[in-house]
Amino acid sequence: MQAFKLKENDEVNIDESNKHLTNLHKDSEGYITIASKNPNYSQWHYKKDDLLQRSDEIISNINTYVSQNTFYRPQRRIENGLTKREQDRLDKINAVKELSEKGYKQVQIVKELGLTKGRVSQIIKEIKAKKV
């Protein structure tokens, strides 16, 4: 994957950046990656329209890279460093734990949370073994 990079002696030209984004990603419905090496590598993902509307605040320094590719399923980390899938798993475990501590039977937990009987049983075994 190549990326468009501003050179150190270039001024940030927002109109040029918008033109580049519009031409390169004109039909894209996916996400565009913006990365920065300032001072450590970080990346963010934006829809084209959001990026164009906020390009002056997003592409504001010389160490910004714009991906020339788009993708449809970003693996974003939520605030505590987990992906959405990892966070959903943790939320289910916590919900089972909470209901179990309130005295709910496994059958009631299955109905309440919409999980399978096997999954609820598995989570309860993990909780009892203190793995989660």
Side-chain angles (χ1 to χ4, degrees):
M1 170 176 28
Q2 294 181 355
F4 171 71
K5 181 186 183 305
L6 295 172
K7 296 178 186 153
E8 291 199 25
N9 58 359
D10 287 350
E11 299 252 345
V12 177
N13 186 331
I14 299 304
D15 293 333
E16 277 298 311
S17 297
N18 285 342
K19 184 176 165 185
H20 172 76
L21 289 167
T22 302
N23 290 335
L24 190 60
H25 301 285
K26 63 182 169 196
D27 297 325
S28 174
E29 294 297 324
Y31 291 88
I32 301 165
T33 302
I34 302 295
S36 176
K37 293 182 180 180
N38 194 13
N40 297 323
Y41 182 83
S42 297
Q43 68 180 17
W44 303 269
H45 310 289
Y46 298 95
K47 288 284 195 175
K48 178 188 74 177
D49 294 335
D50 186 36
L51 185 56
L52 286 171
Q53 290 172 0
R54 298 177 46 215
S55 59
D56 55 339
E57 81 182 68
I58 295 168
I59 306 173
S60 61
N61 63 53
I62 59 173
N63 288 322
T64 300
Y65 297 79
V66 179
S67 168
Q68 294 191 19
N69 298 326
T70 57
F71 58 94
Y72 291 92
R73 296 183 64 200
Q75 297 296 317
R76 294 184 178 169
R77 298 280 172 179
I78 301 176
E79 292 176 13
N80 60 1
L82 301 175
T83 63
K84 182 176 181 343
R85 183 177 180 178
E86 292 166 337
Q87 185 64 50
D88 288 344
R89 178 183 180 276
L90 186 61
D91 291 343
K92 287 176 187 173
I93 291 169
N94 289 334
V96 169
K97 186 175 182 179
E98 182 181 323
L99 293 176
S100 181
E101 289 172 351
K102 288 182 179 179
Y104 280 58
K105 304 285 184 203
Q106 285 189 25
V107 176
Q108 294 170 311
I109 295 172
V110 166
K111 288 180 182 176
E112 185 76 25
L113 299 178
L115 300 173
T116 65
K117 183 179 176 185
R119 181 63 182 133
V120 171
S121 177
Q122 184 183 34
I123 291 171
I124 289 174
K125 284 179 185 175
E126 289 176 8
I127 291 168
K128 288 180 180 177
K130 301 286 186 204
K131 292 182 179 178
V132 290

